[in-house]
Amino acid sequence: MSTKDTVWPEGVARHVLPSVDSTMNEAARLAPGLSGSTWIFARVQTAARGRRGRAWRAPEGNFSATLVMRPEGGLAQAALYSFVAALALEAALSHVAGPHARLAIKWPNDVLLDGGKVAGILLETLGQGAQLKLAIGIGVNLAHTPAPDTLESGAMVPVSLLEQTGMRVTPDDFLPMLARAFAHYDQQFRDYGFDAIRNAWLARAARLGEQITARVGGQTHHGIFETIDHSGALILREQQGTRAIAAADIFF
């Protein structure tokens, strides 16, 4: 690994733990005492979780970390950091897997490799007002995939970086790559606004311009994935017109 791969972004702290229940839980515990952006990294998570409290299997050898930061623009822009994080994660994985890896970003918060889910992102806000912070949890299947019987019905097939590409990278080595990529896209967001992030994200979006299914609560919508708007909502073109969807489970 080159020296560049291990460079840590200036002004960003990190806490490295051998084991923890969940890096998101640890983020909530530490957040009140953190003064700046901080990565919380654990080699093992014993009670990892994903969106809506769903279990996230995180065996040793896979990557688990949470970034705690103060979102620019406060609560109104906190959700847009999902796209910043997805771009950073795709960039870090591309750096490891090489230019021929088939990577894409699935709205709103998954990264795909060869059409399977290799990584997920979870956002939670902590505190409020002047104390508002954002926790961005990231899990990556670097070496292992979850057992089929642990998956939800209809869930995307999971894949691992090692199985798909033969590339082996440790979580400790992956952390600085991801931290550096996030710092890059975060600076773009701060300097140029969401337009720059949105354009970069759309260039990497899975199934853009194709038929998808969106499940919102008890409702199911079918249509063409047209774009995302300036709030990050998915724009679905149905027979009767376009629909903006702020949150949903997406199926291909």
Side-chain angles (χ1 to χ4, degrees):
M1 176 167 294
S2 70
T3 301
K4 182 181 177 183
D5 292 338
T6 61
V7 171
W8 189 258
E10 186 177 352
V12 179
R14 58 180 151 180
H15 290 266
V16 177
L17 306 168
S19 178
V20 74
D21 54 350
S22 157
T23 58
M24 293 295 281
N25 291 348
E26 186 71 0
R29 291 188 286 261
L30 294 180
L34 299 177
S35 58
S37 294
T38 303
W39 282 94
I40 299 164
F41 165 70
R43 297 187 178 97
V44 176
Q45 284 193 110
T46 58
R49 54 189 170 84
R51 294 176 66 215
R52 300 173 187 168
R54 296 166 179 164
W56 173 276
R57 305 295 174 179
E60 191 169 359
N62 283 358
F63 179 85
S64 302
T66 296
L67 173 65
V68 181
M69 60 172 295
R70 193 179 301 280
E72 181 145 316
L75 191 59
Q77 291 197 13
L80 298 181
Y81 273 94
S82 172
F83 301 93
V84 176
L87 285 170
L89 186 48
E90 191 270 350
L93 284 166
S94 180
H95 180 77
V96 174
H100 301 297
R102 292 176 52 242
L103 289 161
I105 304 173
K106 176 177 176 282
W107 189 93
N109 56 6
D110 293 335
V111 177
L112 309 183
L113 174 60
D114 295 336
K117 180 176 176 177
V118 71
I121 298 166
L122 173 66
L123 269 66
E124 292 182 355
T125 54
L126 306 170
Q128 54 188 343
Q131 302 303 313
L132 177 72
K133 291 176 183 172
L134 179 65
I136 305 173
I138 294 176
V140 186
N141 299 330
L142 291 179
H144 309 285
T145 55
D149 60 0
T150 66
L151 301 177
E152 289 185 286
S153 175
M156 292 204 71
V157 174
V159 299
S160 76
L161 179 71
L162 178 61
E163 291 168 349
Q164 297 303 117
T165 69
M167 302 302 294
R168 188 182 298 275
V169 60
T170 68
D172 291 76
D173 288 338
F174 189 74
L175 177 62
M177 298 183 213
L178 178 60
R180 193 171 61 250
F182 187 94
H184 167 76
Y185 282 108
D186 184 28
Q187 195 61 54
Q188 280 202 355
F189 187 25
R190 294 172 188 271
D191 289 345
Y192 305 111
F194 186 58
D195 275 349
I197 298 301
R198 176 177 175 269
N199 290 338
W201 190 95
L202 285 169
R204 297 159 174 80
R207 302 298 178 94
L208 186 66
E210 298 183 24
Q211 184 86 18
I212 64 170
T213 297
R215 292 182 187 165
V216 185
Q219 296 185 322
T220 300
H221 305 283
H222 306 280
I224 302 298
F225 176 17
E226 203 160 75
T227 188
I228 59 171
D229 67 14
H230 292 281
S231 71
L234 183 147
I235 304 302
L236 190 69
R237 177 159 48 86
E238 301 174 292
Q239 288 186 341
Q240 64 271 34
T242 58
R243 178 188 301 273
I245 298 175
D249 287 320
I250 301 299
F251 300 88
F252 298 153

